[in-house]
Structure formats: C-alpha cells, structure tokens
Amino acid sequence: TGNAVDRRSIDTQNGFYNSLDNSITWNKDFSQKFAQVAPGASGSVSFNFSPLPSVDTLSDPSINIEVSISGKQPLEGNTTNAVNSTDSQIIRITSNLGLATKILYYSGPFANTGPIPPVAEKETTYTVVWSLSNTNNSISGAQVTSSLPPWVRFVGSISPTSEDLKYDPDTKQIVWKIGAIPKNLNSTGQGREVSFQIAFTPSLSQVNSSPVLINDAVLTGNDDFANVDMSVNRGSLNTILTNDPAFQTGDGRVLDSGTQ
C-alpha cells in the first residue's frame, strides 16, 4: 500500500497478486515447497515493483509493505497448532533535489569585462550561476560547496546580496549556506539561485587550452520526510561557456598574447 506504489508494476514470482485487496499470496498451490517445511529449512520468495512515474508530484511519498506467514504445526495426537509471524516495512521516497551550474560572460546580473576568447596575461571576468530545484519533500541544512583553481580569483560581487555566500581566500573554498529548501521548488514558479563573479588571467602555459574556472560543486542537505542525507554533485566548469547563448564555438581556448 501507499501513495507512491505503481500497482501495475507489481510482478510476482511463483505467487499471485490480487489487485482487489493489494495482496500477494504464496502457498502450495503455486509452489510445493510450501506444502511442508521441515525443521531447520529455509527459503525465500520475491516480487518486484516500482514507484509511480508521477512520484515527484506527491506529498510525502511512501510505500508500505506488510508481510505475514502462517501455517499449521503438527502436534501429538493428530492435533495442530496455528503458527504465524508478521513484519512490516515503510519505504520513504526521497525528494529529487537538483543543482544546476553554469558560467556566463555575455548575460547574467554582472557586466563582465576582458577579452573573449581569453588572452594570456590579460584578465577576463565571468559570472557563475548556481540554481536549485526540489520536488516532493522539504530539505533542511542545505549548502553548496566548491573551490577555485589557483589561476582564478574571487571578485566579490554576489547577487542577490541577501544570499549567504562566503569565500575563504586561504583555501579558495566557496560555501553557499542555503538552509531550508521548500518542496516543489521551481514547479511553483519560486526558483532560487545565486550568482557571483570570478576573474581569470591565463598564463602562457595555458595557451590553446580551455582551463577550469571553478571546481566541482556539491549540494548537501537532509530530506526531512525520508530522514536521509542528500548529496548532488556537479562537475567542474571551464572556459567553454555552453550555457551562454551568445558564446561562439572556439571562444573558449586561450590565445597567445602575442597574437593580440
């Protein structure tokens, strides 16, 4: 049972699924191993199922499994004793927590400067954008962490200024302390993102390459309904600005300053 189970996906092996009462039955009619269970014997049964395709739209999605086994134990004098055992399990479906990362030059909240393509020994500024999304469960204690490579500096511009984003110049680590992320973020039209500006001055040793501008970003938090820690990883981003509509192919490779 539960609001997240896809009843059409239930597949039993050597048993019968009755959709009228959401039960699966295994007995001697389906397998002779149930006709008699010897002392010390053991065995197993199995079935497969999936959550609903629309699980992301459900509130507090869960699947409940209740299992019971019963039989008759022979006693002296041709009598029997009824024996049974039960167990249950609740499967809580975690939220689909998302983090989108991109680097911009021509768009975004800041006016970037410097040459594109980047030129050795000349500074170019870029805008990093982190965007959040979330589905069915609220998230608490969320934060995003990343770091800058040695050849990139943190400019200091942050938008919106109300976001708690800090940069540590000693470790070059960036931490965005988010706190609570509500359920259905974005689907309700209430997105959340932060932008900040970085600067890159290429070295001659980086000519004809597309250096990394920001390292991997990791979003962490706790799913309040499923009560599990969540983690979303996004890879590093380089000077090839695939998410900037005005960016031209080939403008991500560093040029030699002698050609300018």
Side-chain angles (χ1 to χ4, degrees), residues 6 26 61 95 103 131 175 182 189 200:
D6 183 356
W26 293 270
S95 193
I103 293 183
S131 304
V175 179
F200 170 46

Side-chain angles (χ1 to χ4, degrees), residues 102-106 115-120 122-128 149 151-152 198-203 206-215 235-244 246-255:
K102 59 185 177 182
I103 293 183
L104 307 172
Y105 179 85
Y106 298 100
I116 292 288
V119 176
K122 294 184 179 181
E123 184 178 84
T124 299
T125 61
Y126 298 87
T127 299
V128 179
W151 48 85
V152 176
I198 59 175
F200 170 46
T201 303
S203 169
Q206 295 173 310
V207 170
N208 293 324
S209 68
S210 301
V212 169
L213 295 178
I214 187 168
N215 297 318
S236 61
L237 300 174
N238 59 22
T239 52
I240 301 176
L241 312 184
T242 55
N243 291 291
D244 195 321
F247 184 77
Q248 301 294 316
T249 302
D251 283 352
R253 299 182 71 83
V254 176
L255 300 181

Side-chain angles (χ1 to χ4, degrees), residues 1-2 4-27 29-30 45-50 52 63-66:
T1 60
V5 65
D6 183 356
R7 298 195 303 147
R8 288 179 173 81
S9 72
I10 297 175
D11 177 33
T12 64
Q13 300 178 16
N14 298 323
F16 173 67
Y17 168 58
N18 187 344
S19 63
L20 295 176
D21 60 4
N22 291 321
S23 68
I24 303 174
T25 301
W26 293 270
N27 57 28
D29 294 332
F30 304 103
V45 295
S46 64
F47 64 100
N48 304 318
F49 64 93
S50 302
L52 288 167
I63 298 172
N64 310 313
I65 300 176
E66 297 180 1

Side-chain angles (χ1 to χ4, degrees), residues 93-114:
I93 309 297
T94 59
S95 193
N96 186 7
L97 181 62
L99 171 66
T101 62
K102 59 185 177 182
I103 293 183
L104 307 172
Y105 179 85
Y106 298 100
S107 55
F110 309 119
N112 292 299
T113 59

Side-chain angles (χ1 to χ4, degrees), residues 95-101 130-135 137 139-147 163 174-182 185-186 192-194 215-223 228-235:
S95 193
N96 186 7
L97 181 62
L99 171 66
T101 62
W130 289 342
S131 304
L132 301 174
S133 62
N134 187 36
T135 56
N137 304 331
I139 306 295
S140 59
Q143 70 174 25
V144 177
T145 59
S146 184
S147 62
E163 292 294 344
I174 302 169
V175 179
W176 180 23
K177 292 186 178 180
I178 304 161
I181 303 177
L185 187 70
N186 281 358
R192 186 172 177 183
E193 68 179 25
V194 67
N215 297 318
D216 296 2
V218 181
L219 166 62
T220 57
N222 182 266
D223 187 307
V228 295
D229 292 332
M230 305 283 288
S231 179
V232 179
N233 292 63
R234 292 293 177 261

Side-chain angles (χ1 to χ4, degrees), residues 53-67:
S54 59
V55 67
D56 284 349
T57 65
L58 301 176
S59 178
D60 299 338
S62 63
I63 298 172
N64 310 313
I65 300 176
E66 297 180 1
V67 181

